[in-house]
């Protein structure tokens, strides 16, 4: 083993060696909870517990991967079995991936096929917009995102929740939920809420499946327990009700996700469900200076309902927190940029050691502008990946369907885009038929007995769609080189895809942005254009190349089923079978999208990040900007009664800092082009005076006595570079 119990502090050691019964590890910020958890797993295996019996669940793939790597380093590599099978490993995963594992084995018991697809936020919005367009009154505009948020709470908290006490509200939620579930089921799809809810349903309705899971994982650990919602709590209870071997790790002071369903009561009231629980507090901090910890402790103590703990460190006191008030957010941003550049030149602190934290993403704009002016590299964490956009996923679903029409996932996604008479009910019936016949949906679309079960209009729509797919993919099946971009442009125009994008988005600018995104992809389908080639020129095919040339105008003018195949413009530089080239392109895009998901800040860059996203991270030097009433605490907190959670968010921001912390607020902030007055946050008054150094706007950096020589030496070195 690569760790020793003697390397742990007494509280960590107690947590590591306690294997049986319920255990609550209260791990304050920076107290080494991940090390404690991984050491506990390694120690369990060392004491003879079979690796396959250990389940550790967390919230992010990154955390699960990090935990897996650490455990691998701590335990010796087991040999393969007699038949070459891989040795058992502990199951270290997220809640959602755990449920995917369970459902891939048992979901057929619930009426789904095992190759179900998981809808992300973009997919959910598209499905909900479609539902709302069918049930909303003419001219009525309903925010699909807001409806999904309410629906998520309804699904997770249940119809008896206080939020749905009004019978009319509950009835409406049930109606929308039923239509939404039907829409997803028709595509053999589930969303992230469904992954856990369907697993709970599986456990309730099929006890044998629950028994199999309990037998497989008699030891369960949960990281970041303060972030669990009611459904996740129920899932954990189901798994551990008999063994009672549950170990949860968390910190109620860092519970900041109530807005997305996290229930702090899960960690505060654990004794109600596990009266015999052993509580172990980790309070020794290995991250921050004592000045930073003293400030954090003082702020969080103002929350009335919490499990008491007091962070401390054996590090020196450290520099005081610099608190500055600025006239405007532009001046605040300029000073942050100046401070970062001063630190780089005078103190040899690289950009990569600096982070700017804020409450909302909108606050990043002036910071980004100031950093760009100073030519300071930065990395803004967050934002939607290009490949996660709804229109991009729809387009790639079309491409995947043309490559392989028997791929149910792609076909179900685009069957009714744009609307062509293939409703959710129709697709749900086709999916059921495909499951019964052990065949793809595309195959059963051609089965006479299946088609006869539909009304004439629906039968014609199914047949027409199948014919269109086969016709459109024909150019891909030949040997003749073609332009994939021209081919795709033709069928996109043929089905009115761009018009559909414009119709679905009420905001014209957003809709045109979606159209531009698709056109950007069209330019990539054929790869980079050779240097010097005129993109508007059309090459003529060799004389011995027999082919009929059909213009795009001809296609658009020809109505109904008689529409000819899409145009295929011959260009000599396109080499290789079209299908092979498209298949290679899709494979490359998939790999690039995966790399994009895993991409983190590269090189020497300042990190710009919201306080929510910064949880779990640490930075040597931190700037918290915009600590003003209305931002932190957010204006909604007074209405929703979530002031305690806003204070916890500030606490999380403070405890990200390792060495230095600067906090700032403004007397005016620009909103919608106007400077509006601002007031300092009440949280600033909770910082101990002896931990704070007040700085005036524009005040020169103070160089402490005895550090002057070091300062000028650093300046000379920077100039010599």
């Amino acid at each position: 083993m690569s760790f020793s119990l003697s390397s742990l502090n007494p509280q960590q050691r107690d947590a590591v060696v306690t294997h049986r019964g319920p255990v609550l590890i209260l791990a304050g910020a920076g107290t080494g909870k991940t090390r404690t958890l991984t050491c506990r797993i390694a120690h369990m295996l060392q004491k003879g517990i079979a690796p396959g019996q250990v389940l550790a669940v967390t919230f992010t793939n990154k955390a699960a991967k990090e935990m897996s790597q650490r455990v691998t380093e701590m335990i010796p590599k087991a040999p393969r079995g007699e038949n070459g099978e891989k040795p058992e490993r502990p199951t270290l995963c997220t809640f959602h991936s755990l449920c995917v594992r369970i459902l891939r084995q048992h979901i057929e018991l619930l009426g789904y096929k095992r190759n179900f697809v998981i809808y992300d936020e973009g997919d959910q919005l598209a499905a909900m917009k479609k539902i709302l367009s069918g049930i909303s009154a003419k001219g009525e505009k309903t925010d699909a995102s807001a409806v999904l948020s309410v629906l998520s709470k309804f699904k997770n908290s249940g119809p008896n929740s206080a939020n749905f006490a009004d019978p009319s509200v509950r009835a409406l939620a049930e109606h929308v939920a039923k239509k939404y579930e039907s829409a997803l089921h028709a595509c053999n799809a589930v969303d992230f809420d469904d992954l856990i809810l369907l697993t709970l349903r599986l456990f309730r309705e099929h006890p044998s499946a629950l028994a199999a899971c309990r037998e497989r994982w008699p030891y369960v650990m949960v990281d970041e327990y303060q972030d669990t919602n009611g459904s996740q709590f129920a899932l954990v209870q189901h798994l551990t009700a008999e063994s009672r071997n549950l170990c949860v790790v968390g910190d109620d002071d860092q519970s900041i996700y109530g807005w997305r369903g996290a229930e702090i009561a899960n960690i505060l009231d654990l004794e109600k469900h596990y009266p015999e629980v052993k509580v172990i507090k980790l309070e020794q901090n290995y991250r921050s200076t004592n000045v930073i910890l003293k400030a954090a402790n003082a702020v969080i103590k103002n929350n009335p309902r919490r499990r008491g703990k007091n962070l401390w460190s054996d590090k020196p006191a450290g520099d005081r927190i610099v608190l500055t008030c600025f006239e405007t957010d532009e001046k605040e941003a300029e000073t942050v940029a100046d401070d970062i550049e001063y630190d780089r030149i005078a103190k040899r602190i690289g950009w990569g050691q600096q982070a700017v934290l804020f409450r909302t993403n909108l606050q990043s704009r002036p910071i980004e502008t100031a950093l760009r002016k100073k030519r300071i590299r930065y990395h803004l964490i967050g934002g939607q990946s290009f490949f996660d956009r709804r229109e991009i996923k729809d387009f790639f679903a079309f491409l995947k369907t043309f490559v392989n029409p028997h791929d149910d996932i792609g076909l179900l996604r685009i069957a009714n885009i744009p609307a062509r008479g293939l409703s959710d009910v129709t697709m749900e019936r086709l999916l059921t038929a495909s499951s019964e016949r052990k065949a793809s949906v595309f195959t059963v679309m051609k089965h006479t007995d299946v088609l006869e079960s539909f009304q004439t209009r629906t039968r014609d729509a199914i047949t027409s769609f199948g014919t269109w797919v086969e016709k459109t993919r024909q150019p891909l099946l030949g040997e003749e080189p073609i332009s994939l971009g021209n081919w795709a442009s033709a069928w996109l125009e043929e089905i009115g895809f761009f018009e559909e994008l414009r119709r679905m988005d009420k905001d014209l600018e957003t809709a045109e942005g979606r159209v531009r995104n698709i056109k950007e992809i069209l330019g990539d389908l054929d790869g980079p254009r050779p240097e010097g080639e005129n993109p508007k020129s059309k090459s003529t095919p060799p004389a011995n190349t027999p082919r009929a040339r059909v213009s795009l105008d001809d296609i658009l003018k020809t109505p109904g089923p008689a529409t000819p195949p899409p145009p295929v413009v011959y260009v000599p530089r396109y080499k290789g079978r079209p299908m092979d080239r498209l298949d290679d392109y899709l494979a490359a895009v998939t790999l690039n999208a995966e790399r994009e998901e895993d991409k983190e800040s590269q090189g020497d860059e300042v990190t710009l990040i919201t306080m929510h996203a910064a949880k779990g991270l640490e930075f040597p030097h931190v700037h918290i900007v915009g600590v003003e009433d209305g931002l932190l605490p957010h204006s909604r907190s007074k209405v929703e009664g979530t002031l305690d959670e806003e204070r916890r968010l500030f606490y999380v921001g403070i405890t990200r800092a390792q060495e230095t912390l600067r906090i700032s607020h403004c007397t005016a902030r620009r909103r919608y082009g106007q400077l509006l007055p601002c007031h300092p946050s009440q949280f600033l008054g909770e910082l101990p005076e002896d931990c704070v150094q007040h700085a005036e706007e524009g005040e020169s950096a103070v160089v402490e006595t005895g550090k002057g020589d070091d300062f000028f030496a650093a300046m000379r070195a920077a100039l010599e570079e």
Side-chain angles (χ1 to χ4, degrees):
M1 307 291 284
S2 61
F3 84 97
S4 168
L5 289 176
S6 61
S7 67
L8 305 172
N9 67 40
Q11 292 74 29
Q12 290 175 331
R13 191 158 54 247
D14 190 14
V16 165
V17 301
T18 305
H19 300 163
R20 297 190 178 277
V23 179
L24 167 58
I25 303 174
L26 278 177
T31 57
K33 74 174 179 65
T34 303
R35 174 170 170 76
T36 302
L37 196 55
T38 51
C39 286
R40 188 176 191 271
I41 295 172
H43 192 260
M44 291 171 75
L45 305 188
Q46 186 184 44
K47 291 299 180 182
I49 294 174
Q53 294 184 326
V54 177
L55 168 65
V57 189
T58 187
F59 280 84
T60 67
N61 288 314
K62 182 180 178 183
K65 185 177 180 181
E66 180 185 355
M67 197 186 305
S68 180
Q69 288 174 340
R70 290 199 189 189
V71 171
T72 299
E73 292 169 0
M74 289 183 178
I75 60 177
K77 188 174 181 180
R80 286 181 175 268
E82 293 181 2
N83 298 320
E85 66 271 13
K86 291 183 178 179
E88 275 191 328
R89 302 282 303 166
T91 302
L92 312 175
C93 61
T94 65
F95 272 103
H96 291 116
S97 61
L98 170 65
C99 291
V100 169
R101 292 181 190 214
I102 296 171
L103 292 174
R104 290 290 183 207
Q105 290 184 320
H106 304 287
I107 199 168
E108 287 175 324
L109 295 171
L110 302 177
Y112 292 78
K113 295 172 73 172
R114 287 193 181 189
N115 66 338
F116 63 86
V117 65
I118 303 167
Y119 270 15
D120 61 14
E121 186 178 351
D123 301 322
Q124 292 175 262
L125 278 172
M128 183 55 70
K129 284 180 180 179
K130 192 174 177 182
I131 292 168
L132 293 174
S133 67
I135 64 175
S136 300
K138 188 175 181 180
E140 182 183 3
K141 293 182 179 179
T142 307
D143 186 348
S145 180
V147 174
L148 278 171
S149 178
V150 173
L151 184 60
S152 179
K153 289 180 180 178
F154 178 76
K155 289 163 69 177
N156 281 290
S157 61
N160 297 323
S161 166
N163 294 321
F164 303 95
D166 186 327
S168 60
V169 173
R170 184 168 61 251
L172 181 60
E174 288 173 343
H175 178 66
V176 175
K178 188 174 180 180
K179 282 189 168 291
Y180 178 74
E181 181 182 351
S182 177
L184 267 63
H185 199 176
C187 296
N188 197 37
V190 300
D191 64 18
F192 280 92
D193 287 332
D194 291 333
L195 288 174
I196 295 179
L197 295 174
L198 285 173
T199 304
L200 290 173
R201 180 182 150 198
L202 177 74
F203 287 167
R204 289 193 305 269
E205 298 177 5
H206 302 277
S208 60
L210 173 58
C213 292
R214 285 176 173 173
E215 184 179 358
R216 182 178 179 184
W217 297 302
Y219 296 91
V220 178
M221 280 170 275
V222 183
D223 192 16
E224 302 289 2
Y225 193 66
Q226 76 281 344
D227 295 336
T228 54
N229 60 29
S231 300
Q232 290 158 343
F233 178 69
L235 181 71
V236 170
Q237 273 196 304
H238 272 294
L239 291 173
T240 60
E242 290 186 354
S243 72
R244 312 295 285 179
N245 295 327
L246 171 64
C247 173
V248 299
V249 186
D251 180 9
D252 53 303
D253 289 336
Q254 295 185 74
S255 180
I256 58 173
Y257 295 117
W259 51 275
R260 69 181 188 195
E263 297 181 13
I264 193 172
N266 290 349
I267 194 168
L268 291 177
D269 301 332
L270 190 64
E271 287 88 346
K272 291 182 181 179
H273 306 277
Y274 297 87
E276 73 275 34
V277 66
K278 179 178 182 178
V279 180
I280 302 170
K281 294 183 182 181
L282 305 185
E283 297 173 297
Q284 183 176 355
N285 179 282
Y286 297 93
R287 174 188 298 160
S288 308
T289 65
N290 273 299
V291 162
I292 293 171
L293 295 179
K294 183 178 179 181
N297 287 331
V299 168
I300 202 62
K301 280 179 181 175
N302 289 282
N303 273 0
R305 189 163 183 250
R306 59 185 288 265
R307 288 182 179 266
K309 66 188 77 68
N310 193 64
L311 297 182
W312 62 276
S313 172
D314 57 11
K315 290 184 177 182
D319 296 337
R320 285 189 293 168
I321 297 168
V322 177
L323 179 60
T324 313
C325 176
F326 295 96
E327 287 183 2
T328 67
D329 50 343
E330 285 94 346
K331 290 185 177 180
E332 177 185 51
E334 289 170 6
T335 303
V336 167
D338 287 339
D339 287 343
I340 289 171
E341 197 61 357
Y342 172 84
D343 285 351
R344 183 182 69 85
I345 295 173
K347 301 180 181 178
R348 317 293 284 175
I349 296 172
W351 291 331
Q353 298 180 66
Q354 303 265 10
V356 183
L357 276 59
F358 33 81
R359 175 63 176 83
T360 69
N361 274 311
L362 291 175
Q363 293 171 255
S364 74
R365 187 199 57 76
I367 302 293
E368 289 187 74
T369 301
L371 294 177
R372 285 172 183 266
K373 285 181 180 177
K374 295 283 182 183
R375 296 186 177 181
I376 297 172
R377 290 193 300 273
Y378 67 88
H379 176 60
L380 176 63
I381 293 180
Q384 186 183 35
S385 166
F386 180 78
F387 292 98
D388 285 338
R389 298 179 189 276
R390 168 172 50 84
E391 68 276 10
I392 300 300
K393 296 185 81 168
D394 286 345
F395 179 64
F396 280 119
F398 275 109
L399 296 183
K400 290 174 182 177
T401 300
F402 295 137
V403 169
N404 177 18
H406 303 288
D407 176 1
D408 287 349
I409 293 172
L411 183 137
L412 289 169
R413 183 183 179 94
I414 54 88
N416 209 37
I417 297 177
R420 49 170 64 89
L422 299 177
S423 67
D424 291 336
V425 174
T426 298
M427 298 312 297
E428 196 167 356
R429 286 175 60 187
L430 287 170
L431 182 64
T432 301
S434 74
S435 183
E436 291 171 350
R437 289 163 174 75
K438 307 293 183 186
S440 70
V441 173
F442 190 70
T443 298
V444 301
M445 281 180 160
K446 302 175 185 177
H447 284 197
T448 306
D449 59 330
V450 174
L451 290 173
E452 287 178 350
S453 67
F454 291 95
Q455 293 182 350
T456 302
R457 182 181 295 180
T458 304
R459 183 165 60 244
D460 290 345
I462 295 171
T463 303
S464 177
F465 174 69
T467 302
W468 178 78
V469 170
E470 291 182 329
K471 173 201 71 175
T472 306
R473 69 189 300 260
Q474 277 303 310
L476 301 175
L477 302 177
E479 299 292 330
E480 182 180 330
I482 65 170
S483 164
L484 293 175
N486 290 347
W487 163 78
S489 295
W491 59 257
L492 285 170
E493 291 288 350
E494 179 188 357
I495 65 175
F497 188 76
F498 295 132
E499 286 71 19
E500 177 74 0
L501 290 179
R502 295 184 178 104
R503 186 187 67 79
M504 289 189 69
D505 267 300
K506 300 292 188 291
D507 183 74
L508 182 60
E509 185 177 344
T510 301
E512 290 304 324
R514 294 189 186 280
V515 171
R516 284 194 299 271
N517 289 338
I518 296 295
K519 291 185 175 179
E520 185 177 328
I521 290 290
L522 291 175
D524 293 340
L525 282 177
D526 292 306
R529 188 175 294 275
E531 199 171 326
E533 181 180 313
N534 181 357
K536 294 184 179 180
S537 67
K538 291 184 179 180
S539 303
T540 305
N544 61 351
T545 305
R547 65 182 323 277
R549 297 181 65 85
V550 184
S551 71
L552 188 58
D553 289 337
D554 292 333
I555 286 180
L556 296 176
K557 290 175 185 174
T558 309
T563 302
V568 182
V569 180
Y570 177 86
V571 183
R573 70 184 176 88
Y574 304 127
K575 297 179 181 179
R577 291 182 69 245
M579 183 65 79
D580 292 340
R581 287 171 43 224
L582 183 56
D583 211 3
D584 290 344
Y585 173 79
L586 288 172
V589 165
T590 301
L591 289 174
N592 286 337
E594 288 175 354
R595 293 190 190 106
E596 190 69 24
E597 286 180 2
D598 293 337
K599 183 179 178 184
E600 296 181 0
S601 176
Q602 300 294 321
D604 193 21
E605 302 170 325
V606 176
T607 298
L608 308 187
I609 189 170
T610 65
M611 277 176 271
H612 278 104
K615 182 174 170 291
L617 304 178
E618 58 185 32
F619 310 94
H621 307 279
V622 170
H623 309 251
I624 302 179
V625 299
V627 186
E628 299 146 20
D629 186 42
L631 279 176
L632 187 70
H634 198 278
S635 54
R636 288 195 307 265
S637 66
K638 296 176 181 178
V639 178
E640 298 172 354
T642 56
L643 183 65
D644 287 1
E645 182 160 318
E646 292 291 300
R647 184 178 283 109
R648 290 194 291 269
L649 188 59
F650 187 41
Y651 171 83
V652 166
I654 293 172
T655 54
R656 298 313 94 194
Q658 294 171 288
E659 299 174 24
T660 67
L661 176 62
R662 297 179 175 102
I663 299 175
S664 57
H665 64 98
C666 304
T667 57
R669 186 169 292 275
R670 193 170 297 279
R671 292 170 189 162
Y672 311 111
Q674 291 185 320
L675 275 177
L676 300 177
C678 300
H679 303 283
S681 168
Q682 67 186 76
F683 299 153
L684 295 177
E686 297 171 1
L687 296 168
E689 273 299 322
D690 60 342
C691 294
V692 175
Q693 172 187 327
H694 294 271
E696 297 297 327
E697 181 178 333
E699 181 180 286
S700 301
V702 177
V703 181
E704 294 180 20
T705 306
K707 293 186 178 179
D709 293 341
D710 293 339
F711 169 76
F712 287 112
M715 291 290 287
R716 281 194 296 271
L719 292 171
E720 288 171 1
E721 288 179 359

